[in-house]
Amino acid sequence: MKQYLLKFTRQKIFWPLTALALFLVLNLFIDPGFFEIEIKNNHLFGSLIDILNRSIPLVIISIGMTLVIAKEGIDISVGSVLAISGATAAAIMEHQNIWLALIVALIVGIVCGFWNGLLVSVFEIQPMVATLILLVVGRGIAQLITGGQILTMDNEIYSFIGTGFLFGFPFPIYIGIFVFLMMIFLKKRTAMGLFLESIGNNMTASKFAGIQPKKIILLVYTICGLCAAIAGIIVSANVSSADANNAGLWIELDAILAVVIGGTSMRGGRYFLGGTVVGALFIQTLSTTIYSIGINPQIVMVVKALVVILVCLMQSESFRRSFANMGKKKVSYT
Amino acid sequence: MVSEYLLRSEGISKFFPGVKALSNVSFTLKQGEIHSIMGENGAGKSTLIKVFTGVHKMDEGSIFFKEEQIDLDSPQSAQNKGISAVFQEVNLCENLSVAENIFIGREPKKNGRINWKEIKKRAEQLLLTRLNIKIDVSKVLSSYSTAIQQMIAIARAVDMSSGVLILDEPTSSLDKNEVKQLFKVMKSLKEEGMGIIFVSHFLEQVYEISDRITVLRNGQYIGDYVTNQLPRKDLVSNMIGREWDENSNHKEKQFKNLKSSELLLSGTNLARKGSINPLNIEMRKGEVLGLAGLLGSGRTELAKVIFGIDKPDQGVLYLNNEKIGSLNPKSSIERGVSFCPEDRKVEGIINDLTIRENIILGLQTKKGLLKYIPMKEQERIANKYIKLLRIKTPSIEQSIDNLSGGNQQKVILARWLATNPTLLILDEPTRGIDVGSKQEIRQLIFDLAKEGITILFISAELEETVACCDRVIVLRDRQKIGELQGEDMTESKIMDMIAKGDEIDETIPS
């Protein structure tokens, strides 16, 4: 038993999971009713459900980001792509039917992701620079689509995507689970996981092994764009409006953080989808906690930063080692 | 008394985890001489240079500079002593001006501020007087050709040096005229009394420029020779000839009759700029064909072109009488061509992955992205090859990083065997691994050939090439200079071919 426990602590997911658990317990002290879940009209209500529900856009985007980071890349345009897809859906829905709106919004995400992938793989532009283009231009495009206003939507089906309930649970949770399972499927049931991890780890050797890195890179950026579009639909459906300026603002930073907290290295190679999900949940819990404690809004960012630094340090093996060695006397062999 | 030696080192040894990179190497450099260091990949040339420049700290031995013992523990200390080096890749800043590049880190100052006028003046003077080149020193470095950039790097090194200049492969990216220019400069520096250490794998150049040659092999000091008293053949033999200390059990070789066998591969006029000059190659089914030649002769480069890692600029390749249109690793693997590359660490293993994943990687790319090999099958394949190649590991889920060099090499071999190749290209499969694994891999090559797999074999050790191959193509300076087979294929004849100068080229039938 002890052995298994020890083995578990060595798993990448151990530290983010511990941090998440710690925060949930902390919340229990602040609000004794934190873990309570009520059933009203067959719908589940409660803080936990709420956190889960709200974190779904971040979870989905972080999953896409995980793939990109696994190949030593980064996609900082996800927030803008999210805004574009929401705006597209809203604009089309004004005159056309909702299904067309949804499909086009998703296609827009795919096109954006493909564009990023093209710049990175074929033209070999550094990922940060390549995706910076869409980060900057993307919100402008979204504004063009919405005509500079916040478009409101009035469609039952669409708002169900953001606020509806299915079998007691909020609908977005199902979307999140679906995306997660799809990515697990890609990783475990196709060779994509193997190829991605090997090009992320050693590009040259992968080429010698016959992997075609360009295709894989194109694929992961496209998936990342698609994930951002899905998140965009959920976000806009949740508030029944598309805000080109503020939807998904800074979400790319939270997503990168979620990936790193989840144990995937920015240097590429092995990637951990489960870890990423825990990381995203942790960030959402942190935000919720900070608000529920009632910390002065002006210093919210500082508190968030401190906690994140702490988690990152816990994850760093060399930090843990130096921490463990503290207080131990130095032994000299002379 | 003026000391005879500018730089003298005794008994230098350097250990890396698991490898003895240098053992008991001595080296001397006189004032006003050009001294070449020769050796194949992994012979210890670069390690020795890195010891002299303070990049690596030696584990044993001593170094004397003008007969005074010195302690080189950092690049800084070597520079302070006046030992400066120019490495293969120009180590300058492309976006700074020539003058800035020459004086970076040691700018002349006036009242605490950089004296730009002085820098410009001194840079111009330096280039003109020492190297005899006149260029605008305020232009950015990248506006000049590689050859000029190299000269600028040398100028910087010369200015900082007080007698010892190390040039590591300075000619590998230069054309003939530029090499001539460089040699002129080297000669004039020599006249001035500098000692120059020259590393190059071009035999011609070494014979043209150097006064003495030190030969290293497998980290051992082989000898120190006066250039014009060392026949080329002896030099080649010292570098790649039989290792007498290793009592290899030579089997009586049987020559296969392959004349009747079908043609598997034929290439005509294959060429790629900067790696191989146009040449023809033919391979018959079941044959083991060796590529012999020194480092940089085109042996690895030819293999890379055949596999499709590097695309040929011209020429056509036929496999099974079928013309190959687009050449790339994936399509090559699909056609049954496998390539086990020379540099295991960079081109072979994928550290993060497990042994199982590393083994099935080649087969998986052959099958494609969507046809993922089921886990049971993966385990079966991995276990099969671990048993077949006797890879020593507690489990197939072990990270490949934890294995020794020999076992890693076997994993990479397993990766390629698992793809069921008809043509297997082995580029130095026994390099840098222990003697036991070496024997096992050689045995494996015999067994594979017996099973009818065609093998293209490259090795820096001639003895190994002769022992394993049915036929050998000899390369020198990116050209095919001959072919040997049967009784004719001996170490001595191959070395003769490699050592002969350009002038005798025409007499060799090809």
Side-chain angles (χ1 to χ4, degrees), chain B residues 104-121:
Chain B
I104 195 166
R106 51 196 190 97
E107 301 88 350
K109 289 190 181 146
K110 196 172 147 191
N111 305 331
R113 286 165 53 196
I114 294 174
N115 186 344
W116 291 107
K117 257 192 200 154
E118 178 77 14
I119 287 185
K120 201 168 163 242
K121 204 178 87 198

Side-chain angles (χ1 to χ4, degrees), chain B residues 177-391:
Chain B
N177 283 325
E178 292 166 336
V179 171
K180 244 182 218 162
Q181 181 67 28
L182 174 71
F183 281 0
K184 231 162 121 192
V185 168
M186 283 170 66
K187 276 178 193 151
S188 78
L189 291 172
K190 176 182 141 183
E191 310 277 274
E192 287 178 28
M194 286 197 97
I196 300 176
I197 300 174
F198 179 66
V199 179
S200 168
H201 53 252
F202 294 107
L203 275 189
E204 312 282 329
Q205 296 177 359
V206 167
Y207 270 93
E208 189 184 335
I209 192 80
S210 55
D211 302 307
R212 280 196 300 153
I213 299 173
T214 289
V215 179
L216 302 178
R217 189 166 69 198
N218 288 337
Q220 309 263 354
Y221 169 79
I222 301 295
D224 166 1
Y225 313 93
V226 175
T227 307
N228 51 28
Q229 288 168 16
L230 176 71
R232 284 179 189 218
K233 194 185 162 187
D234 289 357
L235 173 62
V236 174
S237 149
N238 282 330
M239 286 164 66
I240 58 175
R242 184 194 300 272
E243 290 177 52
W244 295 108
D245 49 303
E246 190 183 310
N247 46 348
S248 46
N249 43 342
H250 235 308
K251 279 182 202 155
E252 200 48 50
K253 220 175 134 117
Q254 289 170 6
F255 294 106
K256 284 180 251 172
N257 186 12
L258 291 154
K259 277 270 182 292
S260 53
S261 176
E262 259 177 275
L263 208 58
L264 176 75
L265 172 136
S266 83
T268 37
N269 258 335
L270 284 179
R272 181 180 155 86
K273 199 166 175 277
S275 63
I276 46 169
N277 294 340
L279 55 77
N280 300 339
I281 181 171
E282 278 188 354
M283 289 185 78
R284 297 190 177 274
K285 281 185 185 156
E287 178 181 39
V288 182
L289 174 65
L291 295 180
L294 299 178
L295 188 69
S297 60
R299 51 179 201 214
T300 297
E301 291 80 355
L302 176 58
K304 280 184 176 170
V305 164
I306 291 174
F307 183 60
I309 274 277
D310 288 339
K311 304 222 174 349
D313 298 330
Q314 53 160 304
V316 270
L317 197 65
Y318 290 88
L319 192 72
N320 284 322
N321 290 324
E322 210 176 299
K323 189 177 168 183
I324 293 172
S326 84
L327 207 54
N328 63 58
K330 184 168 192 282
S331 62
S332 290
I333 294 169
E334 282 161 1
R335 282 188 208 103
V337 180
S338 287
F339 179 47
C340 183
E342 150 189 53
D343 192 337
R344 188 174 57 238
K345 284 250 174 306
V346 176
E347 299 165 341
I349 62 167
I350 293 166
N351 305 37
D352 267 8
L353 302 187
T354 63
I355 292 165
R356 167 181 56 81
E357 288 170 317
N358 266 294
I359 289 178
I360 60 121
L361 195 58
L363 184 61
Q364 184 65 65
T365 54
K366 190 176 182 178
K367 293 200 172 215
L369 183 73
L370 294 176
K371 284 192 198 135
Y372 192 50
I373 307 166
M375 196 50 80
K376 280 253 165 65
E377 182 68 6
Q378 290 190 19
E379 283 166 2
R380 191 189 64 76
I381 294 169
N383 282 321
K384 176 181 152 194
Y385 285 101
I386 283 176
K387 215 170 139 197
L388 184 74
L389 302 179
R390 273 174 275 163
I391 299 170

Side-chain angles (χ1 to χ4, degrees), chain B residues 411-428:
Chain B
V411 170
I412 303 304
L413 266 172
R415 176 191 296 168
W416 295 116
L417 292 179
T419 63
N420 234 339
T422 47
L423 171 60
L424 179 61
I425 307 172
L426 299 172
D427 193 356
E428 301 224 24

